[in-house]
Amino acid sequence: MSSYKRKSDRKLVFTEEILKDAKERIRRGQSQRSVAESLNVPESTLRKRLKAGTVPCSLGRFSNVFTPELDSNLAEHCRRLDLCFYGLTKKELGRVAYDLANKNGLNHRFNNDKKEASKKWVENFARRHNFSLRQPEKTSLARAAGFNRVQVQRFYDNLKQVLTTFKFVGRQIFNMDETGLQTVPNKLPKVYAKKGKKIVGKVVSAERGQTVTAVCCMGATGIFVPPALIFPRKRQKPELMDGAPEDSLQLVSDSGYMNSDLFIIWLNHFIKMVKPSKDEPALLILDNHSSHLSLQAIELARDHRVVLLSLTPHTSHRMQSLDTGFFGPLKKAYAVACDNWQVSNPGRAITQYQVARLFGTAYLKVGSIDRAKKSFESCGIWPFNDQIFSDEDFAPANVTDRPNPTAETSSTGEALNSSNLAVELPLTTTETVTQVVSSPIPVNTNISAPVIALSQLGGTETLESTDNHQEVITTPENDEPTPSKSSFLRPEDILPLPKSNIQKKRNIKRKKSEILTSSPYKNQIEAEQKEKEEKAKKTKKTSNKNKSTTPNRPTLLETSTGTEVVRCPLCAEVYVEPPDEDWIQCSQCGAWWHDECSDYLGFGVFKCDVCLG
């Protein structure tokens, strides 16, 4: 890389406009000296330019590699790749610039051995177009593809429907979600240390901490429902909640995470605090986690005038109010509280017994009316705004977009319309109101840039473009394609915008935004549960047939003693009398397994997966 530093601040000030103005003044009879003084240019320069009839295009013997138009095209292509979450690194940008100059036959001083532009050129390019080298945030493919206009608009259509049907106002709209609290926070506050020091440490409780789940819920007008804390333990202890926010709920589970049974307990807590009624029902917006979708929870919500609306999967980072405006500051405040406690109690470790107090300190500091209002407003939930997201926000989903089969026309020439949904919403346990949504869900057909079909860009292979914007001329001397003077290869031809070619449909029932308490969805859940029970009965009958062929197979009652708890190692379900399913004991370790959870074929000696390794 060149270490040259410019020694002057000279700039190209003599332009075409100045030359035309000077010629016009001289034509009127003004002398060249007076024209030079009035235009603030040296007289010798003016005489030189009048004689040549041209203006300078550079200050020295070096010129720009790309034309201004091609340079701007490359910058715009970098922006589009960044919008799709496929941004270029410094090396990748250098390689693209080299290929663009090389294939266009432009004179350049790039490194031919490394086949990339110099680091200095890349830095100057970034400075010209207001780019900076940023550390990207990891974004899963599911989030990039899931946040698309069709699915997002489905949520806003459902939201608009319940808002107009039940006439909800801000004080009746709530959002709930869970977040993990570590006894060892993931991020620590910055500390002062000697400049240049390689390792800067900070004392924490352990290498890996325990996770306590906090269940938070806030309203669109700044109402906060007292939170719940789920501890990874068997039994509750009152001292675990010391210092927690007032009226907080204590829950326990084996894993420390939410499950269907705990969600029903929390839903009762929500109903107790919010007190929804027939005249003022409540709208609860939540994600599509399986623990929120049980039939018991739906029936409980319907009986107590709570409308459950689920978010589109993999969109909570943009559409869930708690995620966008509350959990981030909460985690930072919690990390600071943990650090302060560690400093005040040297030599002691943070355990489950301190989590509630530390969480309470952070919760009371972060929870505010203004923060809650801005969080709901940023998601377009309240005030309602279904146009809160622009086409740029949906750009990552364009990579995996496929044609919508419902948009194809039928054999009679009429377009298929599958968006007319009849949704039955409960008003009371006996009354229902049918609301028909007749407007089709809008589909995003705006493509940010054309998709270029290219063959391999290597050697002298021919380029094929769907836009036919590039004219290629082959010279007989070197038999290499050379662009015509009228146009150049564009950056899209060198590095096309990413587009998935996977057309195979996966046999997975994908979740969508649903009004969980609507009658159609409730009937669907009931049908699925009934089908599951019938399938379990058939499996049990088949298992009993296999059991009859092995008379020496051990039973659970032969070895279980007293009140000892027997739990399946795979599904963690506890054995109860009388058993609903068949159990089988491992001949090596003696552990009991569900017949369905094991790989036992019905004959021979059974060894569990743990013993087989």
Side-chain angles (χ1 to χ4, degrees):
M1 185 185 69
S2 174
S3 60
Y4 171 77
K5 292 184 179 180
R6 200 169 178 215
K7 300 177 179 62
S8 70
D9 57 352
R10 290 172 55 207
K11 296 181 180 179
L12 291 174
V13 295
F14 203 97
T15 62
E16 290 282 355
E17 290 76 13
I18 294 177
L19 183 60
K20 289 180 181 180
D21 190 14
K23 288 180 177 180
E24 181 64 23
R25 294 188 183 190
I26 293 172
R27 189 182 62 81
R28 293 174 184 173
Q30 194 173 352
S31 66
Q32 293 183 0
R33 178 176 295 180
S34 61
V35 171
E37 291 178 354
S38 61
L39 294 178
N40 196 23
V41 294
E43 182 182 352
S44 59
T45 301
L46 178 60
R47 293 179 183 276
K48 180 180 178 181
R49 292 305 161 194
L50 287 173
K51 183 178 180 180
T54 59
V55 296
C57 57
S58 65
L59 289 174
R61 60 190 181 92
F62 296 115
S63 60
N64 293 331
V65 176
F66 301 116
T67 63
E69 181 183 0
L70 202 56
D71 198 65
S72 299
N73 288 342
L74 179 58
E76 182 61 28
H77 190 60
C78 292
R79 293 188 187 96
R80 288 175 178 174
L81 289 171
D82 175 56
L83 289 176
C84 296
F85 293 170
Y86 285 86
L88 298 177
T89 63
K90 183 179 286 189
K91 278 190 170 293
E92 289 170 349
L93 179 56
R95 293 193 187 106
V96 172
Y98 176 86
D99 290 339
L100 186 61
N102 205 37
K103 292 185 181 295
N104 279 316
L106 301 174
N107 293 325
H108 62 81
R109 301 176 70 244
F110 298 153
N111 193 322
N112 289 317
D113 295 331
K114 294 183 178 180
K115 297 187 182 301
E116 64 181 42
S118 65
K119 181 180 177 182
K120 189 69 175 179
W121 184 93
V122 173
E123 291 175 352
N124 289 336
F125 175 83
R127 193 179 299 111
R128 284 197 305 271
H129 297 285
N130 197 25
F131 288 149
S132 63
L133 204 59
R134 302 282 298 276
Q135 180 67 42
E137 182 179 347
K138 291 184 289 186
T139 304
S140 66
L141 183 61
R143 281 193 170 185
F147 189 75
N148 59 78
R149 185 175 289 280
V150 176
Q151 295 299 332
V152 169
Q153 190 61 42
R154 179 184 175 90
F155 166 76
Y156 285 112
D157 288 343
N158 290 337
L159 177 61
K160 184 177 181 180
Q161 184 175 340
V162 296
L163 289 177
T164 54
T165 302
F166 293 97
K167 296 180 174 55
F168 285 120
V169 293
R171 67 175 180 275
Q172 299 170 271
I173 302 173
F174 295 87
N175 174 225
M176 72 82 60
D177 194 21
E178 302 92 357
T179 187
L181 302 173
Q182 299 278 345
T183 54
V184 179
N186 294 325
K187 290 185 178 181
L188 296 174
K190 293 183 178 181
V191 297
Y192 280 102
K194 182 182 177 181
K195 191 172 182 179
K197 186 180 179 183
K198 292 184 177 181
I199 299 176
V200 179
K202 187 75 168 154
V203 174
V204 293
S205 299
E207 295 292 336
R208 295 180 61 185
Q210 292 180 305
T211 301
V212 177
T213 301
V215 186
C216 299
C217 180
M218 70 178 182
T221 57
I223 301 173
F224 285 83
V225 177
L229 294 175
I230 306 176
F231 294 91
R233 46 187 302 117
K234 297 287 186 182
R235 298 177 182 83
Q236 295 185 4
K237 280 191 173 183
E239 53 266 33
L240 288 170
M241 298 299 288
D242 290 345
E246 191 175 354
D247 293 329
S248 294
L249 178 66
Q250 182 185 10
L251 301 171
V252 294
S253 70
D254 293 339
S255 61
Y257 299 118
M258 177 67 79
N259 56 45
S260 299
D261 296 333
L262 294 183
F263 179 70
I264 293 175
I265 298 173
W266 181 89
L267 193 56
N268 279 308
H269 171 70
F270 172 80
I271 293 168
K272 176 184 175 182
M273 294 298 169
V274 177
K275 297 180 175 59
S277 62
K278 180 180 178 180
D279 296 331
E280 280 202 4
L283 172 61
L284 182 60
I285 301 172
L286 66 175
D287 57 36
N288 255 310
H289 193 268
S290 58
S291 62
H292 305 157
L293 308 179
S294 65
L295 183 60
Q296 295 84 349
I298 292 172
E299 290 176 343
L300 178 63
R302 286 166 63 97
D303 292 342
H304 291 84
R305 316 298 188 271
V306 178
V307 179
L308 300 179
L309 175 61
S310 67
L311 291 161
T312 301
H314 308 296
T315 60
S316 60
H317 62 296
R318 300 296 301 274
M319 298 175 63
Q320 182 148 250
S321 306
L322 284 166
D323 274 345
T324 59
F326 184 75
F327 281 156
L330 178 67
K331 291 290 186 70
K332 290 181 180 178
Y334 176 75
V336 172
C338 289
D339 182 65
N340 292 339
W341 188 92
Q342 202 78 58
V343 172
S344 303
N345 299 271
R348 292 181 58 188
I350 298 175
T351 63
Q352 294 182 14
Y353 293 92
Q354 286 81 40
V355 170
R357 186 177 300 280
L358 299 174
F359 168 73
T361 302
Y363 187 85
L364 295 177
K365 181 180 180 181
V366 172
S368 65
I369 295 175
D370 187 55
R371 190 183 299 278
K373 287 183 177 180
K374 288 183 178 178
S375 299
F376 276 86
E377 185 178 352
S378 66
C379 300
I381 295 176
W382 189 262
F384 178 77
N385 182 11
D386 59 351
Q387 302 300 320
I388 192 72
F389 300 112
S390 63
D391 290 339
E392 291 185 355
D393 296 318
F394 298 114
N398 291 337
V399 178
T400 55
D401 272 354
R402 289 183 293 184
N404 187 0
T406 61
E408 298 176 0
T409 56
S410 63
S411 59
T412 60
E414 296 179 356
L416 298 175
N417 186 359
S418 63
S419 301
N420 295 332
L421 306 174
V423 182
E424 187 179 355
L425 301 175
L427 279 180
T428 65
T429 54
T430 58
E431 298 175 340
T432 57
V433 172
T434 301
Q435 177 76 14
V436 177
V437 183
S438 58
S439 60
I441 299 175
V443 180
N444 180 21
T445 58
N446 296 328
I447 304 300
S448 59
V451 179
I452 308 298
L454 294 174
S455 61
Q456 295 293 329
L457 294 175
T460 60
E461 297 188 17
T462 307
L463 296 174
E464 297 178 359
S465 171
T466 57
D467 289 348
N468 296 326
H469 64 277
Q470 174 64 38
E471 181 184 355
V472 178
I473 300 175
T474 304
T475 58
E477 291 80 11
N478 52 16
D479 199 25
E480 291 185 358
T482 305
S484 67
K485 295 180 180 179
S486 60
S487 61
F488 291 100
L489 251 90
R490 298 187 303 181
E492 297 93 297
D493 301 328
I494 305 298
L495 182 67
L497 290 173
K499 189 68 178 178
S500 174
N501 295 323
I502 300 175
Q503 299 295 334
K504 183 180 178 181
K505 293 184 178 180
R506 300 173 65 188
N507 297 324
I508 298 177
K509 193 170 183 181
R510 299 192 178 277
K511 296 179 181 180
K512 302 176 182 178
S513 172
E514 301 284 356
I515 304 172
L516 303 180
T517 47
S518 63
S519 295
Y521 186 80
K522 178 176 176 290
N523 296 336
Q524 176 186 337
I525 294 296
E526 289 175 343
E528 290 176 357
Q529 187 168 338
K530 186 177 180 181
E531 182 182 354
K532 187 176 180 181
E533 291 175 355
E534 292 176 354
K535 186 177 180 180
K537 287 181 181 178
K538 290 181 182 179
T539 305
K540 188 174 182 180
K541 288 181 181 179
T542 306
S543 177
N544 289 335
K545 281 185 179 181
N546 295 334
K547 184 178 178 181
S548 62
T549 61
T550 55
N552 296 327
R553 183 178 174 184
T555 61
L556 183 66
L557 297 177
E558 291 177 5
T559 56
S560 59
T561 58
T563 59
E564 181 182 357
V565 176
V566 179
R567 190 184 300 274
C568 175
L570 183 64
C571 65
E573 184 177 328
V574 178
Y575 171 80
V576 293
E577 288 284 359
D580 296 331
E581 302 178 71
D582 291 331
W583 292 68
I584 185 170
Q585 187 180 31
C586 175
S587 60
Q588 185 169 337
C589 66
W592 287 94
W593 291 65
H594 277 129
D595 199 6
E596 292 183 8
C597 297
S598 69
D599 58 356
Y600 185 62
L601 301 177
F603 57 87
V605 178
F606 167 64
K607 287 187 178 181
C608 65
D609 296 340
V610 178
C611 296
L612 291 175

